Amino acid sequence: MTKEVVPWNCGILPADSWDPRQVVLHLHCKAIGLRPLCFKQANLVLHQTVERIHVGKKYGDIPRGIFVVRGENVVLLGEIDLEKESDTPLQQVSIEEILEEQRVEQQAKQESEKLKVQALKERGLSIPRADTLDEY
């Protein structure tokens, strides 16, 4: 029995073709879910979606339910190979643990940025903040 190839620019898909899809969105958000509906402009509706957070060699999945994604926010869209996913060297941890590790990592990154800005100021240089730049 061969699996029917379903094109990416499709409408409603048959229930037996709802394979897990990974969508990478702007701001480094990764959403994984079953894709029952999509449109030509990469607008997506994902069912049973989880948000996957990676920190080092650990990851955690946060259940999000139904996810509606506008095509302009899609950076990458791909199918997940469930056999290869089970062989990953990454360790799955609880939601609380991954959120705590993410918070610690973000604090360390902010502290590093502060030290970098301070070192540049001491040398008479500065980096413009992203929120002060014109969008033009």
Side-chain angles (χ1 to χ4, degrees), residues 20 22 32 52 54 59 79-91:
Q22 178 170 355
I32 298 172
R52 181 162 288 178
H54 293 267
Y59 74 93
E79 186 173 339
I80 295 176
D81 187 346
L82 296 176
E83 293 173 6
K84 289 184 180 178
E85 185 176 281
S86 63
D87 296 336
T88 183
L90 299 176
Q91 175 190 5

Side-chain angles (χ1 to χ4, degrees), residues 4 34-35 38 41 43 60-62 77 83 96:
E4 180 182 342
L34 302 177
R35 183 186 55 117
C38 69
Q41 297 82 11
N43 296 332
D61 290 339
I62 302 172
L77 177 65
E83 293 173 6
E96 294 80 18

Side-chain angles (χ1 to χ4, degrees), residues 24-36:
V24 178
L25 307 172
H26 286 297
L27 303 175
H28 309 288
C29 176
K30 295 176 184 74
I32 298 172
L34 302 177
R35 183 186 55 117

Side-chain angles (χ1 to χ4, degrees), residues 36-96:
L37 183 64
C38 69
F39 306 96
K40 289 183 180 180
Q41 297 82 11
N43 296 332
L44 304 170
V45 177
L46 298 171
H47 179 64
Q48 297 177 357
T49 306
V50 295
E51 180 181 352
R52 181 162 288 178
I53 298 174
H54 293 267
V55 178
K57 295 273 186 185
K58 298 179 182 179
Y59 74 93
D61 290 339
I62 302 172
R64 297 293 188 196
I66 293 179
F67 229 56
V68 179
V69 182
R70 287 184 55 125
E72 63 195 31
N73 295 316
V74 175
V75 175
L76 178 69
L77 177 65
E79 186 173 339
I80 295 176
D81 187 346
L82 296 176
E83 293 173 6
K84 289 184 180 178
E85 185 176 281
S86 63
D87 296 336
T88 183
L90 299 176
Q91 175 190 5
Q92 186 172 7
V93 296
S94 69
I95 297 171
E96 294 80 18

Side-chain angles (χ1 to χ4, degrees), residues 13 21 25 51 54 71 88 93 103 105 109 126-127 131:
L13 299 174
R21 309 283 186 202
L25 307 172
E51 180 181 352
H54 293 267
T88 183
V93 296
R103 186 185 63 77
E105 182 183 59
K109 189 175 183 180
S126 67
I127 298 176
D131 59 348

Side-chain angles (χ1 to χ4, degrees), residues 4-18:
E4 180 182 342
V5 176
V6 180
W8 283 99
N9 58 351
C10 53
I12 298 175
L13 299 174
D16 62 347
S17 66
W18 289 10

